[in-house]
Amino acid sequence: MRGTLTATGIALVVLAGYTLSCIIRPFRDCWLCKGKAHHRSKRNPKLSRPCRWCRSSGKRLRFGRRLWNRARRVHRDTGVTAR
């Protein structure tokens, strides 16, 4: 019983930390171009082309922030109001 409570507490702390980091820094570097907005071709390393994953911005929206935005959009579209 005590181990389950400890594991749950640790999971909640990690989840709260990730949520806070998604609020503070919603974007991260693109995994393909590593934030440079262009990436090198594997066949010819001299060629550099715009990154299609980040659309040449070098940044991508984090997964947690994407979930948060979708939840806000669903909440707004359903017309639910807090009382």
Side-chain angles (χ1 to χ4, degrees), residues 1 4 12 27 30 47 49 55 70 76:
M1 180 71 177
T4 305
L12 287 175
F27 293 96
C30 177
L47 293 178
R49 58 183 179 174
R55 297 186 182 122
R70 183 167 295 158
R76 184 186 65 224

Side-chain angles (χ1 to χ4, degrees), residues 16-64:
Y18 181 70
T19 303
L20 185 63
S21 71
C22 283
I23 291 170
I24 294 172
R25 297 187 65 187
F27 293 96
R28 63 179 173 94
D29 288 342
C30 177
W31 63 272
L32 185 63
C33 66
K34 296 173 182 54
K36 296 178 184 171
H38 283 69
H39 65 91
R40 301 269 180 210
S41 173
K42 289 182 181 179
R43 290 183 219 154
N44 188 354
K46 293 181 182 180
L47 293 178
S48 175
R49 58 183 179 174
C51 182
R52 65 181 181 153
W53 292 101
C54 63
R55 297 186 182 122
S56 297
S57 69
K59 299 289 182 186
R60 289 185 47 103
L61 198 59
R62 293 173 72 171
F63 179 73

